[in-house]
Amino acid sequence: MPHFYAECTENIRKEANLPELFAKVNQALADSGIFPLGGIRSRAIWLDTWQMADGKQDYAFVHMTLKIGAGRSFEDRQKVGEMLFSLIKIHFADLMAQRYLGLSFTIEELDPILNYKSNNVHKLFKASDQTL
């Protein structure tokens, strides 16, 4: 963990430039020192069917969620949340200036027991940390 999800309306697929956003998000999460690099993932969920507001305009939205494992302090979660939402707003600023766009972001802390995972990527980064 953490896993970053962007649910995005199809009408902004090109303009949203999610690969660039994901690169920024992943780097920011890695730089925070709060999360293990080997667990950071970002992904898009493209929505081809949606309704927003009155449906009379070419509205678009991006709802983003950061799912994290349990155990971080409220202060750390708030710091990461504010940092990421600032990054998100900057990323989408030009698009928001051109069209109707809703941005939302939330952090979800997963249950510490009912959260199952298996990952051999962490070994790669632990090994490289020891060689430095």
Side-chain angles (χ1 to χ4, degrees), residues 7-62:
E7 298 173 60
C8 221
T9 56
E10 182 67 39
N11 60 341
I12 57 170
R13 184 180 280 260
K14 181 180 176 188
E15 299 88 345
N17 196 359
L18 291 186
E20 181 180 299
L21 174 64
F22 293 164
K24 294 174 190 175
V25 166
N26 283 25
Q27 189 63 57
L29 290 171
D31 291 347
S32 74
I34 298 171
F35 306 103
L37 181 59
I40 299 171
R41 294 172 181 71
S42 292
R43 66 194 73 142
I45 301 166
W46 290 103
L47 306 171
D48 63 3
T49 307
W50 72 93
Q51 173 83 23
M52 186 173 173
D54 61 7
K56 295 181 179 179
Q57 301 289 328
D58 185 29
Y59 303 116
F61 68 84
V62 184

Side-chain angles (χ1 to χ4, degrees), residues 62-77:
V62 184
H63 174 69
M64 292 144 287
T65 304
L66 182 68
K67 293 187 179 188
I68 63 171
R72 277 78 180 189
S73 69
F74 174 81
E75 291 77 19
D76 281 347
R77 288 179 286 155

